[in-house]
Amino acid sequence: MKFRIYKALARGVLLETIRRKDLWVVAILGFLIMVAAGGLGLYGMQGLESFAKDLAVSVLGLFTTILAVMNSSRLLPEEIKQRTLYPLLARPISRMDLLIGKYLGAVLATWIAFAILSITTALALVIFGVHFELIMVQYLFAKMLGLAVLCAVTLSFSLYLTPAAAATLSFILAFGSTMIIRALVLANDGASPATAWLFKGINAFIPQYGLFDFGGRVANIGWAPVPLWVLGSLVVYAAVYSAASLAVAWVGFRKKAI
């Protein structure tokens, strides 16, 4: 029964994403990537393989992050503002069911967009003789995990902040978490034992999006694959952090007057 509820809610999110033309924009971006790769290929790719792969993973990460944040930050606020939430809650659906279904829909829409861009980018590079190692498959898998965490965090923010503020904070963490974490590590190294715990606590609280980014490895030729235990650890981290974010979101959603 729960599966049918989640499936219907996720399908609704996906259809709404298609209605807003979000996936069409991604498809157009994929076409532009093919055109740009064709222009680059006219001058030959000899010696540019690493640059091309680095550019490819950067484009993938940028556009899918934007889509994940923008989609997740407006899901529930728009439902509440437009009062379309009432028919859903009038059915035998709890707020937790609604939250999980919306989250799964946001993740599904983001993964589909990521797949579209990944396929078009890979085809464009393969046509011009750029080869990929196993690490590329691992990059795609890890990136999908990171996007799932990003959707959960953004959805949680949207129930405590305005959609614009939730999106802004999510973008700051998505693109600046590595820099923030590095600053916290440096601050912890120079802190006294009495205050070091504070920096460690903040570091543990911040989503570690950099763990899911293997882009630097993908860009280099001949890099060994990531050990399977590392991928397993990422799966566990993504599941735990996403569940914790949804739990925080549920607390805010439960208290929100509708």
Side-chain angles (χ1 to χ4, degrees), residues 165-196:
T168 300
L169 184 56
S170 295
F171 281 134
I172 291 174
L173 290 177
F175 296 119
S177 62
T178 301
M179 185 182 302
I180 296 172
I181 292 168
R182 190 173 302 167
L184 289 172
V185 171
L186 293 175
N188 177 70
D189 292 340
S192 63
T195 58

Side-chain angles (χ1 to χ4, degrees), residues 20-176:
R20 287 197 302 254
K21 306 296 191 297
D22 290 347
L23 292 181
W24 291 108
V25 172
V26 172
I28 293 172
L29 288 174
F31 174 76
L32 293 177
I33 290 173
M34 294 285 288
V35 173
L40 184 63
L42 293 176
Y43 300 96
M45 295 296 294
Q46 187 67 29
L48 296 177
E49 291 86 353
S50 294
F51 168 76
K53 289 193 288 186
D54 183 58
L55 180 61
V57 296
S58 297
V59 169
L60 285 175
L62 175 63
F63 288 123
T64 51
T65 296
I66 293 175
L67 180 63
V69 170
M70 297 306 296
N71 197 20
S72 301
S73 64
R74 63 193 179 191
L75 275 179
L76 289 176
E78 282 192 357
E79 292 275 11
I80 296 173
K81 181 179 179 180
Q82 297 174 3
R83 299 182 180 273
T84 54
L85 206 61
Y86 296 110
L88 293 174
L89 293 178
R91 301 180 181 184
I93 300 176
S94 67
R95 294 196 183 193
M96 176 58 83
D97 293 335
L98 183 63
L99 185 65
I100 294 176
K102 292 291 186 179
Y103 166 69
L104 293 177
V107 172
L108 180 61
T110 303
W111 282 359
I112 291 175
F114 183 64
I116 293 173
L117 285 176
S118 298
I119 292 172
T120 53
T121 302
L123 287 175
L125 295 180
V126 168
I127 288 173
F128 298 106
V130 177
H131 302 287
F132 300 100
E133 292 84 12
L134 178 60
I135 187 66
M136 184 62 182
V137 178
Q138 295 181 327
Y139 161 80
L140 297 175
F141 176 73
K143 196 66 178 177
M144 290 173 68
L145 293 177
L147 290 171
V149 175
L150 179 60
C151 288
V153 172
T154 306
L155 189 60
S156 180
F157 286 157
S158 70
L159 289 169
Y160 293 90
L161 306 170
T162 64
T168 300
L169 184 56
S170 295
F171 281 134
I172 291 174
L173 290 177
F175 296 119

Side-chain angles (χ1 to χ4, degrees), residues 173 176-178 180-181 184 201-209 237 241:
L173 290 177
S177 62
T178 301
I180 296 172
I181 292 168
L184 289 172
I202 298 175
N203 193 11
F205 178 77
I206 294 176
Q208 309 286 322
Y209 293 122
Y237 177 81
Y241 204 99

